[in-house]
Amino acid sequence: MGVSKKVVEAALQSKLNPTFLSVLDTSGGCGASFMVEIASAAFEGKRLLERHRLVNSALAEEMKEIHALSVTKALTPQQWQEQEKVAKPL
């Protein structure tokens, strides 16, 4: 049956305490496919693959029902702020 966007958001909020989180259900509502952008201090000092593994681990139970998970951004809070400055110049 899949999981809801709210369940994915709650799991990531409780386990990774993100400063930014965006979860998009790309499955058309059935809860089988999600796209995630996340900024968390838990990613400090970690390589991209390790960050993705942290996201997958945080969603271990949910992944049993999720067919596809795309982590499009997994940044530290500082990296997120720097990216925002570039995206929105003064």
Side-chain angles (χ1 to χ4, degrees):
M1 178 175 153
V3 297
S4 73
K5 172 185 169 184
K6 288 184 179 188
V7 169
V8 173
E9 288 172 336
L12 292 172
Q13 285 283 357
S14 69
K15 294 175 182 152
L16 296 177
N17 193 27
T19 56
F20 175 84
L21 177 62
S22 171
V23 177
L24 179 65
D25 183 343
T26 56
S27 66
C30 73
S33 179
F34 293 92
M35 184 181 303
V36 173
E37 290 185 355
I38 185 170
S40 172
F43 299 148
E44 295 284 350
K46 307 250 184 318
R47 295 177 188 222
L48 184 60
L49 181 59
E50 293 171 301
R51 295 174 184 193
H52 284 232
R53 285 181 177 154
L54 281 174
V55 172
N56 283 326
S57 292
L59 296 173
E61 278 303 307
E62 293 78 7
M63 288 302 291
K64 294 175 183 177
E65 297 183 50
I66 295 174
H67 174 69
L69 178 68
S70 175
V71 181
T72 57
K73 292 183 182 177
L75 305 173
T76 65
Q78 181 180 352
Q79 289 171 325
W80 185 263
Q81 288 176 348
E82 290 169 5
Q83 159 198 281
E84 288 296 299
K85 288 178 188 174
V86 171
K88 298 177 187 175
L90 297 175

Coordinates of all heavy atoms in Angstrom, one line a residue:
M1 N 0.8 -1.2 0.0 CA 0.0 0.0 0.0 C 0.8 1.3 0.0 O 0.4 2.3 -0.5 CB -0.9 0.0 1.2 CG -1.8 1.2 1.3 SD -2.9 1.1 2.6 CE -3.1 2.8 3.0
G2 N 2.0 1.2 0.5 CA 2.9 2.4 0.6 C 2.7 3.2 1.9 O 1.9 2.8 2.7
V3 N 3.5 4.3 2.0 CA 3.4 5.1 3.2 C 3.0 6.5 2.8 O 3.2 6.9 1.6 CB 4.7 5.1 4.0 CG1 5.0 3.7 4.5 CG2 5.9 5.6 3.1
S4 N 2.6 7.3 3.7 CA 2.2 8.7 3.4 C 3.4 9.6 3.5 O 4.4 9.3 4.2 CB 1.1 9.2 4.3 OG 1.6 9.4 5.6
K5 N 3.3 10.8 2.8 CA 4.4 11.8 2.9 C 4.6 12.2 4.4 O 5.7 12.4 4.8 CB 3.9 13.0 2.1 CG 4.8 14.2 2.2 CD 4.2 15.4 1.4 CE 4.9 16.6 1.7 NZ 4.4 17.8 1.1
K6 N 3.5 12.3 5.1 CA 3.6 12.7 6.5 C 4.4 11.7 7.4 O 5.1 12.1 8.3 CB 2.2 12.9 7.1 CG 1.5 14.2 6.6 CD 0.2 14.4 7.3 CE -0.4 15.6 6.7 NZ -1.6 16.0 7.5
V7 N 4.2 10.4 7.1 CA 5.0 9.4 7.8 C 6.5 9.5 7.5 O 7.3 9.4 8.4 CB 4.4 8.0 7.4 CG1 5.4 6.9 8.0 CG2 3.0 7.8 8.0
V8 N 6.8 9.8 6.2 CA 8.2 9.9 5.8 C 8.8 11.2 6.5 O 9.9 11.1 7.1 CB 8.4 10.0 4.3 CG1 9.8 10.4 3.9 CG2 7.9 8.7 3.6
E9 N 8.1 12.3 6.5 CA 8.5 13.5 7.1 C 8.7 13.3 8.6 O 9.8 13.7 9.2 CB 7.5 14.6 6.9 CG 7.5 15.2 5.5 CD 6.3 16.1 5.2 OE1 5.3 16.1 5.9 OE2 6.5 16.9 4.3
A10 N 7.8 12.6 9.3 CA 7.9 12.4 10.7 C 9.1 11.6 11.1 O 9.8 11.9 12.0 CB 6.6 11.8 11.2
A11 N 9.4 10.5 10.3 CA 10.5 9.7 10.6 C 11.8 10.4 10.4 O 12.7 10.3 11.2 CB 10.5 8.5 9.6
L12 N 11.9 11.2 9.3 CA 13.2 12.0 9.1 C 13.3 13.1 10.2 O 14.4 13.4 10.7 CB 13.2 12.6 7.7 CG 13.3 11.6 6.6 CD1 13.1 12.2 5.2 CD2 14.6 10.9 6.7
Q13 N 12.2 13.8 10.5 CA 12.3 14.8 11.6 C 12.8 14.2 12.9 O 13.6 14.8 13.6 CB 10.9 15.4 11.8 CG 10.4 16.4 10.7 CD 11.1 17.7 10.8 OE1 11.8 18.1 11.7 NE2 10.8 18.5 9.8
S14 N 12.2 13.1 13.3 CA 12.5 12.5 14.6 C 13.9 11.9 14.7 O 14.6 12.0 15.7 CB 11.5 11.5 15.0 OG 11.6 10.3 14.2
K15 N 14.4 11.4 13.5 CA 15.7 10.8 13.6 C 16.9 11.6 13.1 O 18.0 11.4 13.5 CB 15.7 9.5 12.7 CG 14.7 8.5 13.4 CD 14.5 7.3 12.5 CE 13.5 6.4 13.2 NZ 12.7 5.6 12.3
L16 N 16.7 12.6 12.3 CA 17.8 13.4 11.8 C 17.7 14.9 12.1 O 18.6 15.7 11.9 CB 17.9 13.3 10.2 CG 18.2 11.9 9.7 CD1 18.2 11.9 8.2 CD2 19.6 11.5 10.3
N17 N 16.6 15.3 12.8 CA 16.4 16.7 13.2 C 16.8 17.7 12.2 O 17.7 18.5 12.5 CB 17.1 16.9 14.6 CG 16.7 18.2 15.3 OD1 15.6 18.7 15.1 ND2 17.7 18.7 16.0
P18 N 16.3 17.7 11.0 CA 16.7 18.6 9.9 C 16.4 20.1 10.2 O 15.4 20.4 10.8 CB 16.0 18.1 8.7 CG 14.7 17.4 9.3 CD 15.1 16.9 10.6
T19 N 17.2 20.9 9.6 CA 16.9 22.4 9.6 C 16.1 22.7 8.4 O 15.5 23.8 8.4 CB 18.2 23.2 9.6 OG1 19.1 22.8 8.5 CG2 19.0 23.0 11.0
F20 N 16.2 21.9 7.4 CA 15.3 22.0 6.2 C 14.9 20.6 5.8 O 15.7 19.7 5.8 CB 16.0 22.7 5.1 CG 15.2 22.7 3.8 CD1 14.2 23.7 3.6 CD2 15.3 21.7 2.9 CE1 13.4 23.7 2.5 CE2 14.5 21.7 1.7 CZ 13.6 22.7 1.5
L21 N 13.6 20.4 5.4 CA 13.2 19.1 4.9 C 12.1 19.4 3.9 O 11.1 20.1 4.1 CB 12.6 18.3 6.1 CG 12.0 16.9 5.7 CD1 13.1 16.0 5.0 CD2 11.4 16.2 6.9
S22 N 12.2 18.7 2.7 CA 11.2 18.8 1.7 C 11.0 17.3 1.2 O 11.9 16.7 0.8 CB 11.6 19.6 0.5 OG 10.7 19.5 -0.5
V23 N 9.8 16.8 1.3 CA 9.4 15.5 0.9 C 8.3 15.6 -0.1 O 7.3 16.2 0.1 CB 9.0 14.6 2.1 CG1 8.5 13.2 1.6 CG2 10.1 14.4 3.1
L24 N 8.5 15.0 -1.3 CA 7.6 15.1 -2.4 C 7.2 13.7 -2.8 O 8.1 12.8 -3.1 CB 8.2 15.8 -3.6 CG 7.3 15.9 -4.8 CD1 6.1 16.8 -4.6 CD2 8.1 16.5 -6.0
D25 N 5.9 13.4 -2.7 CA 5.4 12.1 -3.2 C 5.3 12.1 -4.7 O 4.5 12.7 -5.3 CB 4.0 11.8 -2.6 CG 3.5 10.4 -2.9 OD1 4.0 9.8 -3.8 OD2 2.5 10.0 -2.2
T26 N 6.2 11.3 -5.3 CA 6.3 11.3 -6.8 C 5.6 10.1 -7.4 O 5.7 9.8 -8.6 CB 7.8 11.3 -7.3 OG1 8.5 10.2 -6.7 CG2 8.5 12.6 -6.9
S27 N 4.8 9.4 -6.5 CA 4.1 8.2 -7.0 C 2.7 8.4 -7.4 O 2.0 7.5 -7.7 CB 4.1 7.1 -5.9 OG 3.4 7.6 -4.8
G28 N 2.3 9.7 -7.4 CA 0.9 10.0 -7.7 C -0.1 9.7 -6.6 O -1.3 9.5 -6.8
G29 N 0.5 9.6 -5.3 CA -0.4 9.5 -4.2 C -0.4 8.1 -3.6 O -1.0 7.9 -2.5
C30 N 0.2 7.1 -4.2 CA 0.1 5.7 -3.6 C 1.2 5.5 -2.6 O 1.2 4.5 -1.9 CB 0.2 4.7 -4.7 SG 1.8 4.5 -5.5
G31 N 2.2 6.4 -2.4 CA 3.2 6.3 -1.4 C 4.3 5.3 -1.6 O 4.9 4.8 -0.7
A32 N 4.6 5.1 -2.9 CA 5.6 4.1 -3.2 C 6.9 4.8 -3.7 O 7.9 4.1 -3.8 CB 5.1 3.2 -4.3
S33 N 6.9 6.1 -3.9 CA 8.0 6.8 -4.5 C 8.1 8.2 -3.9 O 7.1 8.9 -4.0 CB 7.9 6.8 -6.0 OG 9.0 7.5 -6.6
F34 N 9.3 8.6 -3.4 CA 9.5 9.9 -2.8 C 10.8 10.5 -3.3 O 11.7 9.9 -3.5 CB 9.5 9.8 -1.3 CG 8.2 9.4 -0.7 CD1 7.9 8.0 -0.5 CD2 7.2 10.3 -0.4 CE1 6.7 7.6 0.0 CE2 6.0 9.9 0.1 CZ 5.7 8.5 0.3
M35 N 10.7 11.9 -3.3 CA 11.9 12.7 -3.5 C 12.2 13.5 -2.3 O 11.2 14.1 -1.8 CB 11.7 13.6 -4.7 CG 12.9 14.4 -5.1 SD 12.6 15.5 -6.5 CE 12.1 14.4 -7.8
V36 N 13.4 13.5 -1.8 CA 13.7 14.2 -0.5 C 14.9 15.2 -0.7 O 15.9 14.8 -1.4 CB 14.1 13.1 0.6 CG1 14.6 13.8 1.8 CG2 13.0 12.2 0.9
E37 N 14.7 16.4 -0.1 CA 15.8 17.3 0.1 C 15.9 17.6 1.5 O 14.9 17.8 2.2 CB 15.5 18.6 -0.7 CG 15.5 18.5 -2.2 CD 15.3 19.9 -2.8 OE1 15.1 20.9 -2.1 OE2 15.4 19.9 -4.1
I38 N 17.1 17.5 2.1 CA 17.2 17.6 3.6 C 18.5 18.2 3.9 O 19.6 18.0 3.3 CB 17.1 16.2 4.2 CG1 17.1 16.3 5.7 CG2 18.1 15.2 3.7 CD1 16.8 14.9 6.4
A39 N 18.5 19.1 5.0 CA 19.7 19.6 5.6 C 19.7 19.3 7.0 O 18.7 19.5 7.7 CB 19.7 21.2 5.4
S40 N 20.8 18.7 7.5 CA 20.9 18.2 8.9 C 22.3 18.3 9.4 O 23.2 18.0 8.7 CB 20.3 16.8 9.0 OG 20.6 16.3 10.3
A41 N 22.4 18.7 10.7 CA 23.7 18.7 11.3 C 24.3 17.2 11.4 O 25.5 17.1 11.5 CB 23.7 19.3 12.7
A42 N 23.4 16.2 11.3 CA 23.9 14.9 11.3 C 24.8 14.5 10.2 O 25.5 13.5 10.2 CB 22.7 13.9 11.3
F43 N 24.8 15.4 9.1 CA 25.6 15.1 7.9 C 27.0 15.7 8.0 O 27.8 15.5 7.1 CB 24.9 15.7 6.7 CG 23.6 15.1 6.4 CD1 22.6 15.8 5.8 CD2 23.3 13.7 6.7 CE1 21.3 15.3 5.5 CE2 22.1 13.2 6.4 CZ 21.1 13.9 5.8
E44 N 27.3 16.5 9.1 CA 28.6 17.1 9.3 C 29.7 16.1 9.2 O 29.6 15.0 9.9 CB 28.7 17.9 10.6 CG 27.7 19.0 10.7 CD 28.2 20.3 10.0 OE1 29.3 20.3 9.4 OE2 27.3 21.2 9.9
G45 N 30.7 16.3 8.4 CA 31.9 15.4 8.3 C 31.6 14.1 7.5 O 32.5 13.3 7.5
K46 N 30.4 14.0 6.9 CA 30.1 12.8 6.2 C 30.1 13.0 4.7 O 29.8 14.1 4.2 CB 28.7 12.3 6.6 CG 28.4 12.1 8.1 CD 28.3 10.7 8.4 CE 28.0 10.4 9.9 NZ 28.6 11.2 10.9
R47 N 30.5 12.0 4.0 CA 30.5 12.0 2.5 C 29.1 11.8 2.0 O 28.2 11.4 2.8 CB 31.4 11.0 1.9 CG 32.9 11.2 2.3 CD 33.7 10.1 1.8 NE 35.1 10.2 2.3 CZ 36.1 10.0 1.5 NH1 36.0 9.6 0.3 NH2 37.3 10.2 2.0
L48 N 28.8 12.1 0.8 CA 27.5 12.0 0.2 C 26.9 10.6 0.4 O 25.7 10.5 0.8 CB 27.5 12.4 -1.3 CG 26.2 12.4 -2.0 CD1 25.2 13.5 -1.3 CD2 26.3 12.7 -3.4
L49 N 27.6 9.6 0.1 CA 27.1 8.2 0.3 C 26.7 8.0 1.7 O 25.6 7.4 2.0 CB 28.1 7.2 -0.2 CG 27.7 5.7 -0.1 CD1 26.4 5.5 -1.0 CD2 28.8 4.8 -0.6
E50 N 27.5 8.4 2.7 CA 27.2 8.2 4.1 C 25.9 9.0 4.5 O 25.1 8.5 5.3 CB 28.3 8.7 5.0 CG 29.6 7.9 4.8 CD 30.8 8.5 5.5 OE1 31.2 9.6 5.2 OE2 31.3 7.8 6.5
R51 N 25.7 10.2 3.9 CA 24.5 11.0 4.1 C 23.3 10.2 3.6 O 22.3 10.2 4.3 CB 24.6 12.3 3.5 CG 25.7 13.2 4.1 CD 25.9 14.5 3.3 NE 27.1 15.2 3.9 CZ 27.3 16.5 3.6 NH1 26.6 17.1 2.7 NH2 28.4 17.1 4.1
H52 N 23.4 9.7 2.4 CA 22.3 8.9 1.8 C 22.0 7.7 2.7 O 20.8 7.4 2.9 CB 22.6 8.5 0.4 CG 22.4 9.7 -0.6 ND1 21.7 9.6 -1.7 CD2 22.9 10.9 -0.5 CE1 21.7 10.8 -2.3 NE2 22.5 11.6 -1.7
R53 N 23.0 7.1 3.2 CA 22.8 5.9 4.1 C 22.1 6.3 5.4 O 21.2 5.5 5.9 CB 24.1 5.2 4.4 CG 24.7 4.4 3.2 CD 26.0 3.8 3.5 NE 26.4 3.0 2.4 CZ 27.7 2.7 2.2 NH1 28.6 3.1 3.0 NH2 28.0 1.9 1.1
L54 N 22.4 7.5 5.9 CA 21.7 7.9 7.1 C 20.2 8.2 6.8 O 19.4 7.8 7.6 CB 22.3 9.3 7.6 CG 23.6 9.2 8.4 CD1 24.2 10.5 8.7 CD2 23.4 8.4 9.7
V55 N 19.9 8.7 5.7 CA 18.5 8.9 5.3 C 17.8 7.6 5.2 O 16.7 7.4 5.7 CB 18.4 9.8 4.0 CG1 16.9 9.8 3.5 CG2 18.9 11.2 4.2
N56 N 18.4 6.7 4.4 CA 17.9 5.3 4.3 C 17.7 4.6 5.6 O 16.7 4.0 5.8 CB 18.7 4.5 3.3 CG 18.5 4.8 1.9 OD1 17.4 5.2 1.5 ND2 19.6 4.7 1.1
S57 N 18.6 4.8 6.5 CA 18.5 4.1 7.8 C 17.4 4.7 8.6 O 16.7 4.0 9.3 CB 19.8 4.3 8.6 OG 20.9 3.5 8.0
A58 N 17.2 6.1 8.5 CA 16.2 6.7 9.2 C 14.8 6.3 8.8 O 13.8 6.3 9.5 CB 16.3 8.3 9.1
L59 N 14.7 5.8 7.5 CA 13.5 5.3 6.9 C 13.4 3.8 6.8 O 12.7 3.3 6.0 CB 13.3 6.0 5.5 CG 13.1 7.5 5.5 CD1 13.1 8.0 4.1 CD2 11.9 7.9 6.2
A60 N 14.2 3.1 7.6 CA 14.3 1.6 7.5 C 13.0 0.9 7.5 O 12.7 0.1 6.6 CB 15.2 1.1 8.6
E61 N 12.1 1.3 8.4 CA 10.8 0.6 8.4 C 9.9 1.0 7.2 O 9.2 0.2 6.6 CB 10.0 1.0 9.7 CG 10.4 0.2 10.9 CD 10.2 -1.3 10.7 OE1 9.1 -1.8 10.3 OE2 11.2 -2.1 10.9
E62 N 10.0 2.3 6.9 CA 9.2 2.8 5.8 C 9.6 2.3 4.4 O 8.9 2.1 3.5 CB 9.2 4.4 5.8 CG 8.5 5.0 6.9 CD 9.3 5.0 8.2 OE1 10.5 4.6 8.2 OE2 8.8 5.4 9.3
M63 N 11.0 2.0 4.4 CA 11.5 1.5 3.1 C 11.0 0.1 2.7 O 11.0 -0.3 1.6 CB 13.1 1.4 3.2 CG 13.7 2.8 3.1 SD 13.3 3.8 1.7 CE 14.2 2.9 0.4
K64 N 10.4 -0.6 3.7 CA 9.8 -1.9 3.4 C 8.6 -1.7 2.4 O 8.2 -2.7 1.8 CB 9.4 -2.6 4.7 CG 10.5 -3.0 5.6 CD 10.1 -3.5 6.9 CE 11.3 -3.8 7.8 NZ 10.8 -4.3 9.1
E65 N 8.0 -0.5 2.4 CA 6.8 -0.2 1.6 C 7.1 0.8 0.5 O 6.3 1.0 -0.4 CB 5.7 0.2 2.4 CG 5.2 -0.8 3.4 CD 4.0 -0.4 4.2 OE1 3.0 0.1 3.6 OE2 4.0 -0.4 5.4
I66 N 8.3 1.4 0.5 CA 8.6 2.4 -0.5 C 9.4 1.7 -1.7 O 10.4 1.0 -1.4 CB 9.5 3.5 0.1 CG1 8.7 4.3 1.1 CG2 10.0 4.5 -1.0 CD1 9.5 5.4 1.9
H67 N 8.9 2.0 -2.9 CA 9.6 1.4 -4.0 C 10.8 2.2 -4.5 O 11.8 1.6 -4.9 CB 8.6 1.3 -5.2 CG 9.2 0.8 -6.5 ND1 9.6 -0.5 -6.7 CD2 9.4 1.5 -7.6 CE1 10.1 -0.6 -7.9 NE2 10.0 0.6 -8.5
A68 N 10.7 3.5 -4.4 CA 11.8 4.3 -4.9 C 12.0 5.6 -4.0 O 11.0 6.2 -3.6 CB 11.6 4.8 -6.3
L69 N 13.2 5.8 -3.6 CA 13.6 7.0 -2.8 C 14.7 7.7 -3.5 O 15.8 7.2 -3.7 CB 14.0 6.6 -1.4 CG 14.4 7.8 -0.5 CD1 13.2 8.6 -0.2 CD2 15.0 7.2 0.8
S70 N 14.4 9.0 -3.8 CA 15.5 9.8 -4.5 C 15.9 10.9 -3.5 O 15.0 11.8 -3.2 CB 14.9 10.4 -5.8 OG 15.9 11.3 -6.3
V71 N 17.1 10.9 -3.0 CA 17.6 11.9 -2.1 C 18.3 12.9 -3.1 O 19.5 12.7 -3.4 CB 18.5 11.4 -1.1 CG1 19.0 12.5 -0.1 CG2 17.8 10.3 -0.3
T72 N 17.6 14.0 -3.4 CA 18.2 14.9 -4.4 C 19.2 15.9 -3.7 O 20.1 16.4 -4.4 CB 17.1 15.7 -5.1 OG1 16.3 16.4 -4.2 CG2 16.3 14.8 -6.0
K73 N 19.0 16.2 -2.4 CA 20.0 17.0 -1.7 C 20.1 16.5 -0.3 O 19.1 16.3 0.4 CB 19.6 18.5 -1.7 CG 19.6 19.1 -3.0 CD 19.2 20.6 -2.9 CE 19.3 21.2 -4.3 NZ 18.9 22.6 -4.3
A74 N 21.3 16.3 0.2 CA 21.6 15.9 1.6 C 22.7 16.8 2.0 O 23.9 16.4 1.8 CB 21.9 14.4 1.7
L75 N 22.4 17.9 2.6 CA 23.4 18.9 2.9 C 23.5 19.2 4.4 O 22.5 18.9 5.2 CB 23.0 20.3 2.2 CG 22.9 20.2 0.7 CD1 22.3 21.5 0.2 CD2 24.1 19.8 0.0
T76 N 24.6 19.8 4.8 CA 24.7 20.3 6.2 C 23.9 21.7 6.2 O 23.7 22.3 5.2 CB 26.2 20.6 6.6 OG1 26.7 21.6 5.8 CG2 27.0 19.3 6.5
P77 N 23.6 22.1 7.4 CA 22.9 23.4 7.5 C 23.7 24.6 6.9 O 23.1 25.4 6.2 CB 22.7 23.6 9.0 CG 22.6 22.3 9.5 CD 23.6 21.5 8.7
Q78 N 25.0 24.5 7.1 CA 25.8 25.6 6.5 C 25.8 25.5 4.9 O 25.7 26.5 4.3 CB 27.3 25.5 7.0 CG 28.2 26.5 6.4 CD 29.6 26.4 6.9 OE1 29.9 25.7 7.8 NE2 30.5 27.2 6.4
Q79 N 25.9 24.3 4.4 CA 25.9 24.1 2.9 C 24.5 24.6 2.4 O 24.5 25.2 1.3 CB 26.1 22.7 2.6 CG 27.5 22.2 2.8 CD 27.6 20.7 2.6 OE1 26.7 19.9 3.0 NE2 28.8 20.2 2.1
W80 N 23.4 24.3 3.2 CA 22.1 24.8 2.7 C 22.0 26.3 2.7 O 21.5 26.9 1.7 CB 21.0 24.2 3.7 CG 19.7 24.6 3.1 CD1 18.9 25.6 3.5 CD2 19.0 23.9 2.1 NE1 17.8 25.6 2.8 CE2 17.8 24.6 1.9 CE3 19.2 22.8 1.3 CZ2 16.8 24.2 1.0 CZ3 18.3 22.4 0.4 CH2 17.1 23.1 0.2
Q81 N 22.6 27.0 3.7 CA 22.6 28.4 3.7 C 23.4 29.0 2.6 O 23.0 30.0 1.9 CB 23.1 28.9 5.1 CG 22.1 28.7 6.2 CD 22.7 29.1 7.5 OE1 23.9 29.4 7.7 NE2 21.9 29.2 8.5
E82 N 24.6 28.4 2.3 CA 25.4 28.9 1.2 C 24.7 28.7 -0.1 O 24.7 29.6 -1.0 CB 26.7 28.1 1.2 CG 27.6 28.5 2.4 CD 28.8 27.6 2.5 OE1 29.0 26.7 1.7 OE2 29.5 27.8 3.5
Q83 N 24.0 27.6 -0.3 CA 23.3 27.3 -1.5 C 22.1 28.4 -1.7 O 21.9 28.8 -2.8 CB 22.7 25.9 -1.5 CG 21.5 25.7 -2.4 CD 20.8 24.5 -2.1 OE1 21.2 23.4 -2.4 NE2 19.6 24.7 -1.4
E84 N 21.5 28.7 -0.6 CA 20.4 29.7 -0.6 C 20.9 31.1 -1.0 O 20.2 31.8 -1.8 CB 19.7 29.7 0.7 CG 18.8 28.5 1.0 CD 17.7 28.3 0.0 OE1 16.8 29.2 -0.1 OE2 17.6 27.3 -0.8
K85 N 22.1 31.4 -0.5 CA 22.7 32.7 -0.9 C 22.9 32.8 -2.4 O 22.7 33.8 -3.0 CB 24.0 33.0 -0.1 CG 23.7 33.3 1.3 CD 25.0 33.4 2.1 CE 24.9 33.5 3.6 NZ 26.1 33.6 4.3
V86 N 23.4 31.7 -3.0 CA 23.7 31.7 -4.4 C 22.5 31.7 -5.2 O 22.4 32.4 -6.2 CB 24.5 30.4 -4.7 CG1 24.7 30.2 -6.2 CG2 25.9 30.4 -4.1
A87 N 21.4 31.0 -4.7 CA 20.1 31.0 -5.4 C 19.4 32.3 -5.4 O 18.7 32.7 -6.3 CB 19.3 29.9 -4.9
K88 N 19.6 33.1 -4.3 CA 18.9 34.4 -4.1 C 20.0 35.5 -3.9 O 20.2 35.9 -2.7 CB 18.0 34.3 -2.9 CG 16.9 33.3 -3.0 CD 16.1 33.2 -1.8 CE 15.1 32.1 -1.8 NZ 14.4 31.8 -0.6
P89 N 20.6 35.9 -4.9 CA 21.6 37.0 -4.7 C 21.0 38.3 -4.3 O 19.8 38.6 -4.6 CB 22.3 37.1 -6.1 CG 21.3 36.5 -7.1 CD 20.5 35.5 -6.3
L90 N 21.8 39.1 -3.6 CA 21.2 40.4 -3.1 C 21.0 41.4 -4.2 O 21.3 41.7 -5.1 CB 22.2 41.0 -2.1 CG 22.4 40.2 -0.8 CD1 23.5 40.8 0.1 CD2 21.1 40.1 0.0

